[in-house]
Amino acid sequence: MFAALLTETMDPFYEICSSFPTVIFTVLLAFCVFYWIFAVLGLVEIDALDFNFGVDDGGAADSIDNLNVMAGLLLKLGLNGVPFTIVLSLITLIGWLTCFTVVYFVFPWVPGALLEFIVGIPIFIGVLYMSAMVTAQIIRPLRPLFLEADQHVEKHIVGQVGIVRTGRVDKTFGEATVEDGGAGLIVKVRSYKDETFARGDRVILLEYDAVGNTYRVISEKDFLNN
């Protein structure tokens, strides 16, 4: 199967994937694939790409304005209510498949590289917009599920034991798994004190921080000794 990818019959596939405008979606698709691999391995937080529209202490005003503009754009397109990582992954996958198909059938009729680039601009814009609209329809029925899940988690897991799943947990980074009687939950956690936890450490979720959507934790040993 893999040998077929090296034959001359696959040259158009590589050419389309590496040429404008498909190459933009190709790069984004590769980024999403590696991101999810790293997230599963616990090297990055699963929702590391999500936007935090709250105001951080000392945050720059222009950065906040940019986030508000992005939030408004996502809301207008109907891309709110689910993790941005899911939105980006869906837009990228749909965009890559659509752009590849359009270029495959259209570009043979376009003479010259310059004209291909010119024609590629409206193709990219149109495919990007279409992908966003399709993604908005896909995630619409998912919004209540994420909202209900967030509310359920916030009410029921404070005080429970979590197992660190990332390489570390400190005051700025980390995730832990919490047993919920099912497949388990993955939540963002931050150390309550200036301590650092390693993968596999047992921690107690002390309180929920609504601004950062995180749980402050201490070690299970310290919790039991208090």
Side-chain angles (χ1 to χ4, degrees):
M1 180 180 69
F2 294 104
L5 298 178
L6 303 177
T7 63
E8 293 183 358
T9 58
M10 291 299 296
D11 287 347
F13 175 83
Y14 294 116
E15 182 179 354
I16 294 175
C17 289
S18 60
S19 61
F20 180 82
T22 315
V23 66
I24 299 177
F25 291 103
T26 301
V27 172
L28 287 174
L29 185 61
F31 170 80
C32 290
V33 170
F34 282 109
Y35 172 83
W36 283 111
I37 291 175
F38 290 152
V40 170
L41 295 176
L43 301 178
V44 298
E45 294 178 339
I46 289 181
D47 57 353
L49 299 181
D50 286 359
F51 296 100
N52 181 4
F53 302 113
V55 180
D56 294 329
D57 295 338
D62 55 347
S63 297
I64 297 171
D65 290 340
N66 291 336
L67 288 177
N68 289 333
V69 170
M70 180 62 70
L73 179 60
L74 294 176
L75 182 62
K76 184 175 182 179
L77 294 175
L79 300 174
N80 60 306
V82 302
F84 181 71
T85 47
I86 295 178
V87 172
L88 179 62
S89 299
L90 285 173
I91 290 177
T92 300
L93 179 59
I94 296 170
W96 185 88
L97 292 172
T98 306
C99 192
F100 183 95
T101 303
V102 172
V103 169
Y104 180 82
F105 286 105
V106 172
F107 272 26
W109 300 92
V110 180
L114 179 59
L115 285 178
E116 287 182 351
F117 179 80
I118 295 175
V119 172
I121 295 176
I123 289 178
F124 171 73
I125 296 174
V127 168
L128 182 62
Y129 180 77
M130 183 277 298
S131 301
M133 293 298 96
V134 173
T135 298
Q137 296 302 315
I138 293 175
I139 67 175
R140 178 179 295 177
L142 300 180
R143 293 195 194 104
L145 299 179
F146 280 98
L147 178 60
E148 182 179 350
D150 289 341
Q151 293 174 343
H152 174 79
V153 168
E154 180 183 345
K155 292 178 181 178
H156 291 84
I157 70 173
V158 171
Q160 292 193 24
V161 176
I163 307 297
V164 175
R165 68 175 295 271
T166 47
R168 75 176 196 282
V169 166
D170 53 28
K171 300 193 72 171
T172 61
F173 176 85
E175 289 182 341
T177 57
V178 181
E179 292 297 331
D180 64 341
L185 300 171
I186 298 177
V187 295
K188 294 171 63 176
V189 295
R190 302 290 184 262
S191 61
Y192 191 81
K193 304 175 182 178
D194 292 327
E195 54 187 332
T196 300
F197 302 102
R199 189 193 307 271
D201 286 351
R202 296 172 63 89
V203 295
I204 301 295
L205 282 64
L206 281 184
E207 61 183 24
Y208 176 68
D209 179 11
V211 175
N213 189 29
T214 59
Y215 293 85
R216 299 188 182 277
V217 299
I218 63 172
S219 70
E220 184 181 36
K221 180 179 179 180
D222 289 344
F223 181 79
L224 295 177
N225 288 336
N226 289 335

